[in-house]
Amino acid sequence: MGSYSIEKISAIVQGKLLARNQNALVDSLLTDSRKVVHAATSLFFALPGPRRSGHRFIQELHARGIKNFVVDFSFETKDYPDANFIRVVNVLTALQTLVAFHRSQFSIPVVGITGSNGKTIVKEWLNLLLEKDYQIVRSPKSYNSQIGVPLSVWQMNGMHTLGLFEAGISQPGEMQALQKIIWPTIGVLTHMGDAHSENFKDQRQKIKEKLLLFTGVNRMIANGDDPLVVETVEASGIPCFFWGKQAHCAIRVVDIKKEEAHTTIRLEVNEQEMASVLSLNTLHPPPLTFHLSPLTSHPAPLTIHIPFMDDAAIENAITCCSVLLAMGYSSEAITDRVHMLKPVEMRLEMKRGTNNCSIINDSYIADISSLRIALDFLEQQQQHHKRTVILSDFAETKDPENLYSEIAFALQQKKINRFIGIGSHLYQYKNKFEQVVAETLFYDSTEDFITHFLSTQFHDEAILIKGSRKFALERISALLEQKAHQTVLEISLTAIVHNLKQYQQFLQPSTKIMAMVKAFSYGSGSYEIANILQFHKVDYLAVAYADEGVELRKAGIGLPIMVMNPEESSYHAITENNLEPEIFSFPVLASFRQFLQEQGLQNYPVHIKIDTGMHRLGFELKEIKALAGALTNNSFFTVQSVFTHLAGSEDPGLDIFTEWQAEQYLLACTQLQELLPYAFIRHIANTAAIVRHPQLHFDMVRLGIGLYGTDSTAMHALELKEAATLKTTIAQIKKIKAGETVGYARKGILQRDSIIATIRIGYADGYRRNLSNGAGGVLVNGNLAPVAGNIAMDMTMIDITDIPGVREGDDVIVFGKGLSIAQLAQWAQTIPYEIMTGISQRVQRVYYEE
Ligand SMILES: *Cc1c(COP(=O)(O)O)cnc(C)c1O
C-alpha cells in the first residue's frame, strides 16, 4: 500500500488542493462508499457514475469520518470546513495517475495479463507456481477494470518481489491508461476467442488494443497457433515467445494426450530462440537469472502432467509453463510444479446450511484483499443477525504481526460476532482477535475442529469459511451444509447485478426501478436476491402474495415492498410488516379501508392498479372518477403509485395496442391527479417495454425477467447475462443394443447400438415431460445429448453415443452457459418464465459471486 501526504497526492495528480490539514496521510484509496475500512486515512475518489455521481456520497462519507476527497470542479466544498479536497478535471484520470506514479517507485518484475478468456486463472496459477520464490502482489479476484487495476496496483509495497496483474478492456482507448499503471515487464496474452465484441471494429483491432498493455515489456507470451495473434504481435515488434503446434513457435506443442482425469503435454523448447529474445533485454527491469542448461541446437523436451482435460485448462497451463520458461525456470522445476495446479474457485458460494444458517464457502484463497471482498459479501446477508467467520492461517508472510492485526481490524469493522481460528499462527495472535470479537474459539487444525464439531453450535447465523487450500476447509463447509441431492440451480449474483446495471444505464438517472421478485424471484431465490438488490439500491420490490413479503421482512429487507395480490386474510401480515398492497377493485378498497379503520391506521401507502386492456386485475377507466372520490374523502390511504400492466410490450405486432394502453393509462392518471392533493409515482413498463418503449418509462419501471438475464424482446439491445444454471449429474451409463427401448411405455426405441446415461432430474424437479423422446436435450462436456425415451419423475435418460469420454458422476447442464432458457422453453413449447418458475423447491439453490 502506498502512503502519501495529501499535498504530495495533489501535486502528482496536478489537482487544486483545498487543504484544511496538509499533513493528512493517505494509505487507502476508496471508490465505493460501501467499502470504507480505514476512514481516517482514506482518500475518496468521487467518480462519475452512469446514474449517481460519486459527489452524492460525500456527505455520508464525511459523517463517517472520511476527510480526504478527490472531486471535480463542479463540487461545492463549503459545507465541509474540516475536510481536504483535491479538485481535478477528471477524477478517474487522477486515480490512475496517482497509482501510475506509485508503480513507478518499484523496479520489480511485473507480469501483465490480458486476453478474452482465462486471465484470472492464469494469474492465480502463476501465483501458485511462483509463490515459493517470490513475495507476490496480485489483483484480487478479477479486478481488471479501469478502476480495479489501480486499486490492485496500489497494494504494491517495498516487500514485494513480483507483481501479477490482469487487465480487461471493453472499448478502444482504455488499455493505454492501464499500461501506465501496471507497467508490465513480462506480457501474457491469454486466449483471444472470437466472440463478437460490440465496441471493436473487428478482432484485429481488439488484439491490437490489448497489445498496448505490452508497450515496454522485454518479452511476451502468446498463442502461436492463432494466425491473427501472430500477425498482430509480429507487426507490433514486441519480442514474443509463441507457443503452439506451428513450426515457428519457440515453445512447440508436440503432443497432447488426454487420459483418465488428466492430460500429458509434451513440449519442445527452442532454447536458442528463447535466448535470443532474452538477450534483447529491452527497457527494464534487471534481467532475471537465466537457468536454462547450456544451449544446444536441439530443442529441449519438456513433459508436463496436469489434472485437467478441457481445452481451456490445457491452453492456460501451457501459457503458465511458457511464462516460467521465459522467467528462466528449468524444465525439471516446471514439470515438478505444474502437476499441483488445481481448479481455481473464483467464486464466493453461498448455500443454505443446517439449523437455518447461510454458509459462504471461500475456502480456496487466503489473502487480505479476498478476505475483504468476502466480508463485504457476508455483511450483505441481512437474513441473520449473527455473523461468524471461520478462518485458517494464511500462507507464510514476512510480517505476520501486521497481517493478523489487519485481519482482526477488518473483522471488527464488519462487526463479526464470532471468530473461529484454525491453525497455530492464528492461535499465536489470538489476543488480537479476543480484543475485537465477542466470542472466539481456536483449533490446531481442521481435524481438531471436526473432532469437536457439534452441529447445534451453529444456528440462525451467516457463516463465512475462508482459508488457504492447505487446510482443506471444504470439509468444514460439508459438515455445515444442508445435504441435498445433486441437482442444483446455481445463481450468479454477479450476473444479476450486471443485468441491473445494464438497465440502470439505459434509464434516465431519475427513473426509479421496482424489481419484481415475485414467485421466489422468478424461481431463483428470495432474500438472497433481495439482499443484493437492496445493496445496489433499487427503489422498490414487488411480490405477488403477502407471505413472500413477510419472508423478505424477516430476512431484514427494508425496501418498500408492493404486494400485488393482497388477500383479506393477509391484511394483518401486510400492515404489521409495512407491506404496501395493490388496490385493484372497489371491494378490495372497501375491505382494506375497513381494516385500516379497525386498526386505527391512517395514510397507509397503497398502489392503484388500472386495467387498460390486459383484463386481469385493475379498475376500469369508467370507474376512475368514483375511485378518486373514494380515495380523497378520507385519510386512510396515501396513494404511492398508480400503474397498469401491458399485455404485449415485447411484440412489435401489438405496438398499436401498447400505445393505446398507455393513452388510457395517462387519461386515468390525469383524472386521479386532478382530485388527489399530492403527486404519485406513475409506472407502466415491464422488462420488454423498458427497451422497446422508452417513452413509457415515466417515473418508475418494473423490471422482471431481464434482471435474471432473459431478453424477452429477443432484440439483444442490452448485454444481459443469464443468472441461472441448472445442473445435475450422471447416475449410470449403459450400452444398449439397437431395437431395445428406453424408459416408461417403451417410447424410446433405439435405432442403433447406443450409450444411454441416466441423469438425476425428472419432471418433479421441473424438467418438463414434453421434452421427452428427443424433443429436448442437455449439455454433457459441452455437447448436446438428446433426451431418450420418456422423462420420469426423478430421472431422465439421455443419448450420449456420440459424445466421447463421458463418465458416471459427470456434470450435466440442463440450462445455463451454452444452452439458454429461451432454447429450452422453445423445445418445451412454453415461455422462459414458466421454465424458470417451475424448478421445484427440492432443487437446491447455490448463490455465487464471481
Ligand atoms: C411480473 C410483472 C412484471 C414484470 O414483467 P417482466 O416481463 O418479467 O419484466 C411487471 N409488472 C407486473 C404487474 C407483473 O406482474
Side-chain angles (χ1 to χ4, degrees):
M1 234 188 301
S3 179
Y4 295 84
S5 75
I6 191 82
E7 237 187 329
K8 170 114 193 209
I9 293 176
S10 182
I12 294 168
V13 305
Q14 300 185 346
K16 222 167 156 261
L17 179 63
L18 190 68
R20 278 66 181 236
N21 169 14
Q22 298 185 358
N23 300 324
L25 274 185
V26 168
D27 59 21
S28 300
L29 306 186
L30 192 63
T31 58
D32 183 333
S33 65
R34 298 164 303 203
K35 298 198 172 149
V36 178
V37 186
H38 300 276
T41 51
S42 286
L43 174 61
F44 179 69
F45 287 79
L47 294 166
R51 276 169 77 79
R52 285 175 248 262
S53 153
H55 292 160
R56 286 187 42 174
F57 299 104
I58 288 178
Q59 188 178 9
E60 172 205 335
L61 285 166
H62 181 261
R64 287 163 65 191
I66 306 235
K67 295 285 140 67
N68 303 299
F69 300 94
V70 179
V71 296
D72 70 27
F73 284 94
S74 68
F75 188 74
E76 182 49 73
T77 59
K78 72 172 186 318
D79 293 340
Y80 307 94
D82 63 342
N84 293 321
F85 286 92
I86 299 175
R87 290 204 271 184
V88 295
V89 177
N90 181 318
V91 176
L92 178 62
T93 308
L95 171 67
Q96 296 178 335
T97 307
L98 171 61
V99 182
F101 176 86
H102 181 61
R103 167 69 184 93
S104 73
Q105 305 303 295
F106 303 91
S107 59
I108 58 173
V110 168
V111 181
I113 305 164
T114 190
S116 303
N117 307 103
K119 295 185 283 291
T120 305
I121 299 195
V122 166
K123 181 200 68 198
E124 290 300 320
W125 279 358
L126 286 174
N127 179 60
L128 206 66
L129 295 169
L130 295 168
E131 68 184 350
K132 271 213 300 221
D133 307 333
Y134 294 94
Q135 285 282 322
I136 298 175
V137 52
R138 70 189 200 278
S139 329
K141 305 260 167 178
S142 312
Y143 275 30
N144 62 28
S145 67
Q146 295 288 302
I147 298 166
V149 167
L151 295 180
S152 302
V153 175
W154 180 252
Q155 303 175 96
M156 198 181 265
N157 67 37
M159 296 222 275
H160 295 123
T161 56
L162 176 69
L164 302 174
F165 298 108
E166 54 180 289
I169 51 170
S170 53
Q171 55 190 35
E174 292 185 334
M175 196 55 105
Q176 242 159 350
L178 300 186
Q179 188 274 332
K180 294 204 183 76
I181 304 168
I182 298 177
W183 204 282
T185 59
I186 298 175
V188 178
L189 186 67
T190 63
H191 189 84
M192 280 304 304
D194 46 16
H196 167 73
S197 24
E198 307 224 321
N199 297 322
F200 294 93
K201 202 169 75 218
D202 55 22
Q203 183 76 353
R204 186 186 308 267
Q205 191 203 12
K206 193 162 89 182
I207 299 172
K208 240 174 125 171
E209 177 77 19
K210 299 219 168 187
L211 289 182
L212 291 178
L213 178 61
F214 305 142
T215 319
V217 299
N218 46 34
R219 68 212 83 154
M220 67 167 282
I221 313 295
N223 180 350
D225 291 341
D226 182 335
L228 208 51
V229 166
V230 176
E231 195 188 310
T232 319
V233 169
E234 283 181 344
S236 75
I238 302 170
C240 182
F241 294 134
F242 288 106
W243 62 265
K245 299 199 171 96
Q246 311 293 318
H248 71 90
C249 295
I251 300 161
R252 271 198 58 206
V253 180
V254 187
D255 187 35
I256 295 181
K257 199 148 90 227
K258 298 183 185 181
E259 285 146 301
E260 277 288 293
H262 77 278
T263 305
T264 301
I265 304 164
R266 284 202 303 124
L267 304 171
E268 274 180 10
V269 185
N270 186 332
E271 297 182 353
Q272 261 180 336
E273 192 173 329
M274 298 207 49
S276 72
V277 172
L278 290 183
S279 69
L280 284 177
N281 186 28
T282 46
L283 306 173
H284 58 90
L288 293 159
T289 32
F290 189 56
H291 305 296
L292 286 181
S293 43
L295 294 187
T296 55
S297 53
H298 299 295
L302 166 55
T303 302
I304 56 173
H305 304 279
I306 55 166
F308 302 98
M309 293 177 61
D310 60 295
D311 294 339
I314 293 170
E315 182 165 331
N316 292 331
I318 299 175
T319 300
C320 289
C321 289
S322 306
V323 175
L324 264 64
L325 282 167
M327 290 176 74
Y329 278 87
S330 69
S331 303
E332 295 77 45
I334 294 173
T335 308
D336 214 41
R337 291 183 189 196
V338 168
H339 73 92
M340 69 182 191
L341 292 180
K342 298 222 174 77
V344 175
E345 256 331 314
M346 277 172 302
R347 52 191 229 183
L348 270 168
E349 266 189 7
M350 180 170 70
K351 295 184 182 167
R352 294 209 181 163
T354 51
N355 302 335
N356 195 30
C357 294
S358 299
I359 314 295
I360 301 169
N361 184 359
D362 192 20
S363 58
Y364 298 92
I365 309 174
D367 61 34
I368 184 86
S369 42
S370 71
L371 175 66
R372 290 214 173 94
I373 294 170
L375 286 172
D376 284 339
F377 187 56
L378 180 66
E379 190 181 28
Q380 286 172 39
Q381 303 315 315
Q382 299 291 326
Q383 67 270 28
H384 307 292
H385 291 299
K386 182 166 178 181
R387 297 193 175 85
T388 294
V389 172
I390 302 178
L391 191 74
S392 79
D393 285 353
F394 280 18
E396 299 297 322
T397 144
K398 279 195 187 149
D399 190 1
E401 174 89 36
N402 202 2
L403 173 69
Y404 290 107
S405 301
E406 275 282 306
I407 295 175
F409 183 72
L411 298 177
Q412 181 183 24
Q413 292 280 302
K414 297 294 176 186
K415 305 196 176 64
I416 300 306
N417 308 86
R418 174 159 61 171
F419 177 73
I420 299 178
I422 296 183
S424 55
H425 289 162
L426 281 166
Y427 185 74
Q428 193 184 335
Y429 294 100
K430 82 193 227 293
N431 60 359
K432 290 190 190 300
F433 297 94
E434 286 165 353
Q435 281 163 20
V436 297
V437 182
E439 200 186 333
T440 56
L441 277 167
F442 292 87
Y443 296 92
D444 283 344
S445 61
T446 308
E447 287 71 39
D448 189 25
F449 174 93
I450 291 170
T451 318
H452 294 99
F453 174 75
L454 266 180
S455 65
T456 49
Q457 232 179 322
F458 299 91
H459 49 85
D460 293 310
E461 58 198 292
I463 307 170
L464 168 66
I465 303 173
K466 184 149 181 68
S468 61
R469 261 167 213 283
K470 206 165 77 184
F471 281 84
L473 297 185
E474 57 274 12
R475 287 177 293 163
I476 295 182
S477 59
L479 283 179
L480 295 168
E481 279 164 20
Q482 257 173 17
K483 305 287 173 285
H485 82 139
Q486 292 188 21
T487 302
V488 292
L489 186 66
E490 297 186 337
I491 313 289
S492 166
L493 298 176
T494 314
I496 290 181
V497 172
H498 167 90
N499 296 334
L500 175 64
K501 290 199 171 144
Q502 288 287 307
Y503 286 99
Q504 283 176 336
Q505 283 170 26
F506 189 74
L507 295 168
Q508 293 296 319
S510 58
T511 309
K512 291 181 165 47
I513 294 181
M514 173 183 269
M516 307 307 285
V517 295
K518 60 192 181 194
F520 292 106
S521 294
Y522 290 48
S524 59
S526 72
Y527 52 74
E528 296 89 350
I529 309 293
N531 268 334
I532 54 158
L533 296 172
Q534 175 161 294
F535 186 73
H536 289 280
K537 307 214 155 59
V538 305
D539 303 278
Y540 252 98
L541 296 176
V543 294
Y545 295 97
D547 49 358
E548 297 177 276
V550 173
E551 179 95 340
L552 295 181
R553 284 284 182 258
K554 273 195 197 141
I557 302 297
L559 285 175
I561 300 175
M562 177 173 91
V563 176
M564 293 192 288
N565 250 300
E567 296 154 297
E568 240 182 293
S569 59
S570 67
Y571 287 167
H572 263 291
I574 286 179
T575 54
E576 271 164 24
N577 289 282
N578 237 330
L579 305 174
E580 304 177 6
E582 163 185 324
I583 306 290
F584 55 80
S585 69
F586 284 114
V588 175
L589 185 75
S591 70
F592 193 60
R593 174 189 157 138
Q594 172 81 28
F595 176 80
L596 292 176
Q597 191 162 16
E598 283 162 17
Q599 300 293 313
L601 291 170
Q602 297 234 317
N603 301 321
Y604 199 84
V606 296
H607 300 262
I608 301 298
K609 176 74 163 288
I610 314 287
D611 180 3
T612 54
M614 176 87 157
H615 299 327
R616 195 168 66 177
L617 297 178
F619 290 95
E620 289 178 29
L621 241 67
K622 58 179 191 287
E623 298 174 315
I624 299 301
K625 275 238 159 64
L627 171 64
L631 288 168
T632 44
N633 72 2
N634 64 72
S635 56
F636 293 114
F637 308 110
T638 300
V639 176
Q640 289 296 96
S641 84
V642 174
F643 72 110
T644 190
H645 196 34
L646 299 170
S649 61
E650 68 286 345
D651 184 351
L654 295 176
D655 281 354
I656 292 178
F657 186 70
T658 298
E659 280 161 32
W660 189 81
Q661 279 196 283
E663 272 169 36
Q664 300 295 298
Y665 168 70
L666 286 175
L667 262 169
C669 284
T670 312
Q671 290 182 20
L672 281 170
Q673 196 61 85
E674 271 167 11
L675 289 166
L676 284 176
Y678 52 84
F680 47 76
I681 301 172
R682 296 168 311 150
H683 50 115
I684 176 167
N686 63 348
T687 298
I690 292 174
V691 175
R692 295 199 62 252
H693 304 283
Q695 77 285 6
L696 302 183
H697 290 172
F698 301 138
D699 306 319
M700 181 156 82
V701 297
R702 298 190 304 274
L703 179 57
I705 198 155
L707 199 50
Y708 311 99
T710 293
D711 186 352
S712 48
T713 65
M715 278 168 48
H716 306 289
L718 301 176
E719 277 186 41
L720 300 181
K721 293 188 179 159
E722 276 202 3
T725 302
L726 181 58
K727 266 189 182 168
T728 185
T729 54
I730 294 180
Q732 193 176 22
I733 296 177
K734 293 184 183 214
K735 291 191 171 133
I736 300 171
K737 287 258 174 289
E740 295 204 35
T741 64
V742 172
Y744 282 121
R746 306 202 66 190
K747 286 286 185 227
I749 304 166
L750 298 179
Q751 304 297 325
R752 55 172 179 175
D753 290 357
S754 305
I755 307 176
I756 301 293
T758 301
I759 59 176
R760 296 178 164 104
I761 189 169
Y763 57 77
D765 299 293
Y767 196 54
R768 294 168 53 103
R769 197 166 167 281
N770 65 350
L771 294 162
S772 296
N773 296 305
V778 298
L779 289 183
V780 180
N781 296 340
N783 302 291
L784 191 66
V787 173
N790 275 331
I791 290 170
M793 188 185 293
D794 312 302
M795 265 167 266
T796 297
M797 278 67 83
I798 56 172
D799 185 339
I800 55 166
T801 315
D802 299 323
I803 309 174
V806 184
R807 290 173 305 156
E808 292 179 354
D810 279 1
D811 277 347
V812 172
I813 292 186
V814 181
F815 61 69
K817 207 171 181 186
L819 177 53
S820 68
I821 296 176
Q823 173 65 76
L824 192 66
Q826 201 185 355
W827 286 336
Q829 298 172 25
T830 180
I831 51 174
Y833 300 77
E834 192 180 3
I835 299 285
M836 291 162 72
T837 54
I839 307 303
S840 77
Q841 288 301 316
R842 86 171 180 194
V843 174
Q844 173 172 225
R845 269 68 172 167
V846 176
Y847 302 90
Y848 64 94
E849 275 199 347
E850 287 157 292

